[in-house]
Amino acid sequence: MTFVTKLDFASGDRDVLAETVQELKETLERKGAECKGPHATPSETVTVPLYKNLSAGDEFSPWRYDVYRRSMEIHGADDIARDVVGRDFPDSIHVEVEVDQKKPLGHRRD
């Protein structure tokens, strides 16, 4: 059975995100892993209210920032995918990993 490792990246720092994901893709290609992506999704603007006191009432202007997202898939190459997942990514990048198991076409399970 083949495994597909899905990686989702999110960061408020677009440059660090783009550089990290591009470096990762180049590493995967150099090692011969089948990789799809990176795929970009539109940025999301997050608004965080800021209060002057612990109780509701007086507020500062809200803090607004953009979150940028990229996603990639690694097909097969389980040992390479395991190395990628174990990497230390910059603190400004949030990484989510999902592993799916794919059955070959025509394979029956009794």
Side-chain angles (χ1 to χ4, degrees):
M1 295 202 189
T2 303
F3 290 93
V4 176
T5 305
K6 298 177 182 180
L7 303 165
D8 291 313
F9 303 91
S11 179
D13 189 336
R14 182 186 354 202
D15 295 334
V16 170
L17 179 63
E19 180 182 318
T20 301
V21 171
Q22 185 60 38
E23 178 186 305
L24 180 58
K25 179 165 179 75
E26 290 169 1
T27 300
L28 290 169
E29 289 175 344
R30 190 172 52 251
K31 291 185 175 191
E34 183 184 344
C35 174
K36 293 186 180 180
H39 305 289
T41 57
S43 64
E44 171 189 355
T45 301
V46 177
T47 303
V48 180
L50 298 174
Y51 299 99
K52 293 182 180 182
N53 299 311
L54 293 176
S55 59
D58 289 336
E59 293 184 23
F60 293 107
S61 296
W63 176 38
R64 289 184 173 82
Y65 63 97
D66 292 324
V67 176
Y68 305 94
R69 298 184 184 281
R70 303 288 184 274
S71 62
M72 299 175 73
E73 290 183 358
I74 304 170
H75 293 259
D78 303 341
D79 54 334
I80 297 171
R82 195 174 303 113
D83 289 343
V84 166
V85 171
R87 272 186 176 199
D88 285 331
F89 290 99
D91 290 338
S92 62
I93 298 178
H94 175 77
V95 182
E96 291 184 13
V97 179
E98 180 182 332
V99 179
D100 288 337
Q101 189 174 14
K102 303 291 182 183
K103 297 180 201 168
L105 290 176
H107 184 265
R108 283 187 13 173
R109 192 174 208 176
D110 295 327

